[in-house]
Amino acid sequence: MYRQNFYFRLGLYIFLLIVFSGGLFLLVQASSWYAVLPALGIVWMVTDIIRVFNRIPKKISYFFNAVENEDSTLLFPEKIQHKPTKEMNQSLNRVNRLIQEVKLRNREQEQYYSMLLEQVATGIVVMNENGSILQANSSAKRLLNYQELTHIEQLKRIDSNLHQAFFQLKEESSHQSVKVTHRNRVTQLSLQATTFKNHEKALRIVSIHDISNELDAKEIESWQKLIRVLTHEIMNSITPITSLSETLLKYYLPPEKSVDEKTVTNTVKGLEVINERGVGLIRFVESYRKLTKLSNPVLKPIVLKNLIEHLLLLLENEPNFHRIRFRVETDSPNLSVEADEMQLSQVFINLIKNAMQAVENVAEPHIIIRAHSTPGGRCEIKMIDNGPGIPSEIREQIFIPFFTTKENGSGIGLSLSRQIMKNHGGSIEVASSPGTTVFTLSL
């Protein structure tokens, strides 16, 4: 009974220590070898006291080791008479239950998010810096045509371009677009990557979207717009030709018998209109051929500042050129790009002429041509004018072939420029607001 009572045990230890210490003192004074016995008793008592007081830290240490090792069977006795120890054991058991509840909720959340990921149509892949795939949902496996994904090297078996795209995402890129061919079916995939840290380890989440249908829809829409423009242009030329032909035929068919001077004059005028319309239609068709038969670019280094200044000299005879303030700005006088000089010149000329026309009615017109290198190793050229801006309702249509708001415009300048930039692996974009328009070329 006394072993379960901490205070009785502590009092007994103190009493025995006093007795042993007194006996040791008397025996040492008497020079008796029996002094060894109380000395051994004191050592035993001190050792036992240390062991008792170390029991609590050891118990707590044992508890934390069990938590670290995820030992859920740990349980401390609560049916003891020593109240402080009892309360400590109850607290440890309560903390252990809370930890188990948190772990259970975490597992439930993991299951919930896993089930959620399995339900979404977007493919999700989680990979580490070594390219190991830690998680991939069923949509990702379906889009990538691979059921057991453990490393991006496996993607080489599907498509080398797909592997290269994932490799770029693993390194630094945040977006890739790639065509994947599997069993004679071509799929266009858009890959987006985001970096996050988990236990100090950098991981990349890659979302995979099948954008084939979106591209098909956009392609159909583009074709519909192009067909509308082609129909409009052709009908504008064919209708007056047909009408004039019928009128002229009536001059020379019964009941008309004679051909007088007025008839001849009207016939000549009608034929002139027909000829004019015919030439316009031929020019239109030639423009279409020019757009669809653009030659492959012959790349060579081009110093941008020199090219732009040379083109400005060529355009000096254009109307209103000298009232416009031109400014050319580059990161370096020797900033250069790999491009086809003739084709790139055509793009610049189209944009400069458009900018000049945009600032015709501006009091203090200026055009800025600014070029600089981007952190990604590309070159960006901006063509900035202070014209009235491009209305938002037509901004998306300006790159459509043959769309034009100019009375004598062909409507192929910007569409041809976009095609040239695309063939160079670059792009052309526009941003506009009242008082400023910016065309941005990226190479």
Side-chain angles (χ1 to χ4, degrees):
M1 186 69 179
Y2 70 89
R3 285 186 175 273
Q4 295 180 355
N5 192 317
F6 177 78
Y7 297 109
F8 176 80
R9 191 173 182 179
L10 181 61
L12 179 61
Y13 282 164
I14 294 172
F15 173 74
L16 290 175
L17 277 174
I18 293 171
V19 171
F20 286 147
S21 298
L24 178 62
F25 178 76
L26 293 174
L27 291 171
V28 168
Q29 289 292 330
S31 300
S32 174
W33 64 272
Y34 288 107
V36 174
L37 296 177
L40 291 173
I42 291 172
V43 171
W44 176 77
M45 291 298 298
V46 171
T47 302
D48 200 42
I49 289 171
I50 292 172
R51 182 179 58 81
V52 169
F53 279 95
N54 281 342
R55 186 178 299 169
I56 293 175
K58 284 183 179 180
K59 182 182 291 186
I60 294 174
S61 177
Y62 175 70
F63 169 75
F64 285 116
N65 287 334
V67 169
E68 184 179 2
N69 294 323
E70 299 185 354
D71 183 2
S72 59
T73 62
L74 183 64
L75 188 66
F76 296 99
E78 297 182 7
K79 294 182 179 181
I80 55 178
Q81 293 187 1
H82 185 229
K83 189 176 180 181
T85 303
K86 179 180 179 180
E87 291 176 349
M88 183 188 69
N89 288 353
Q90 289 174 340
S91 297
L92 291 175
N93 288 335
R94 186 166 60 253
V95 170
N96 189 39
R97 284 194 299 272
L98 289 172
I99 291 172
Q100 297 309 315
E101 288 175 6
V102 169
K103 288 181 178 178
L104 181 61
R105 283 198 296 268
N106 286 340
R107 290 195 187 98
E108 289 174 350
Q109 282 188 335
E110 287 176 3
Q111 291 177 352
Y112 169 75
Y113 288 124
S114 295
M115 291 176 64
L116 194 64
L117 284 177
E118 289 300 316
Q119 297 302 315
V120 298
T122 300
I124 303 293
V125 172
V126 181
M127 61 182 180
N128 61 17
E129 294 175 325
N130 298 322
S132 297
I133 295 176
L134 308 180
Q135 188 172 3
N137 66 352
S138 55
S139 294
K141 295 174 182 177
R142 176 178 54 81
L143 290 170
L144 299 176
N145 301 301
Y146 212 105
Q147 293 305 310
E148 295 297 331
L149 283 170
T150 57
H151 201 280
I152 62 173
E153 291 298 319
Q154 293 172 298
L155 300 177
K156 284 183 178 178
R157 303 174 188 173
I158 305 171
D159 193 294
S160 59
N161 292 331
L162 181 62
H163 170 263
Q164 184 62 27
F166 263 84
F167 183 80
Q168 292 292 333
L169 291 171
K170 179 181 76 71
E171 295 297 318
E172 55 184 15
S173 178
S174 60
H175 177 261
Q176 291 287 322
S177 182
V178 62
K179 284 184 179 180
V180 179
T181 304
H182 182 69
R183 295 179 181 175
N184 297 325
R185 181 176 179 271
V186 178
T187 305
Q188 183 80 29
L189 299 180
S190 174
L191 311 177
Q192 298 277 352
T194 304
T195 302
F196 76 103
K197 282 196 173 183
N198 183 28
H199 300 298
E200 300 302 320
K201 294 181 179 178
L203 300 178
R204 298 276 276 178
I205 296 180
V206 181
S207 61
I208 308 168
H209 301 269
D210 183 353
I211 58 173
S212 301
N213 293 334
E214 296 175 25
L215 293 177
D216 290 343
K218 287 184 177 180
E219 185 176 355
I220 291 170
E221 184 183 357
S222 297
W223 274 109
Q224 289 173 341
K225 289 179 179 177
L226 178 58
I227 289 169
R228 283 199 297 269
V229 172
L230 288 171
T231 304
H232 175 75
E233 290 293 331
I234 293 172
M235 289 303 294
N236 279 352
S237 296
I238 294 295
T239 301
I241 289 175
T242 304
S243 177
L244 278 170
S245 299
E246 290 177 356
T247 302
L248 294 175
L249 278 172
K250 289 178 182 178
Y251 290 154
Y252 300 95
L253 293 175
E256 295 289 341
K257 301 292 186 181
S258 61
V259 178
D260 55 17
E261 187 177 345
K262 184 179 179 182
T263 302
V264 173
T265 302
N266 289 338
T267 301
V268 170
K269 288 181 179 179
L271 290 173
E272 285 176 349
V273 172
I274 290 173
N275 179 68
E276 180 185 335
R277 289 289 180 175
V279 170
L281 190 57
I282 290 171
R283 190 161 47 241
F284 175 78
V285 174
E286 284 296 326
S287 297
Y288 181 76
R289 289 178 61 189
K290 187 177 181 181
L291 182 66
T292 55
K293 290 190 176 181
L294 190 64
S295 61
N296 292 328
V298 179
L299 304 181
K300 66 176 183 178
I302 301 171
V303 178
L304 285 173
K305 190 175 179 66
N306 294 346
L307 175 64
I308 295 167
E309 290 177 346
H310 174 69
L311 295 177
L312 290 177
L313 284 175
L314 293 178
L315 294 170
E316 275 190 346
N317 294 324
E318 291 290 320
N320 299 318
F321 179 89
H322 292 286
R323 66 179 292 267
I324 301 172
R325 183 165 57 90
F326 288 89
R327 193 163 79 240
V328 180
E329 301 174 356
T330 59
D331 278 354
S332 163
N334 298 319
L335 179 63
S336 63
V337 293
E338 289 279 336
D340 186 304
E341 186 171 355
M342 292 299 296
Q343 293 186 11
L344 189 60
S345 297
Q346 191 170 3
V347 174
F348 284 159
I349 289 172
N350 284 334
L351 293 180
I352 294 171
K353 282 187 173 182
N354 286 348
M356 289 172 64
Q357 292 174 358
V359 298
E360 274 181 348
N361 301 318
V362 176
E364 296 181 359
H366 67 256
I367 297 173
I368 302 170
I369 305 170
R370 183 178 296 149
H372 68 276
S373 298
T374 66
R378 296 177 69 83
C379 183
E380 201 170 77
I381 304 111
K382 292 182 181 292
M383 197 83 63
I384 308 166
D385 69 67
N386 64 336
I390 303 172
S392 58
E393 60 270 18
I394 67 169
R395 201 174 300 153
E396 293 183 0
Q397 303 180 62
I398 61 174
F399 292 107
I400 297 174
F402 311 111
F403 175 84
T404 181
T405 58
K406 302 171 187 174
E407 186 176 348
N408 298 316
S410 66
I412 68 163
L414 288 176
S415 55
L416 184 62
S417 297
R418 172 168 276 188
Q419 188 64 37
I420 290 171
M421 295 304 296
K422 186 177 179 182
N423 288 352
H424 280 73
S427 64
I428 177 172
E429 303 293 338
V430 62
S432 186
S433 59
T436 182
T437 297
V438 181
F439 280 88
T440 303
L441 309 177
S442 178
L443 278 171

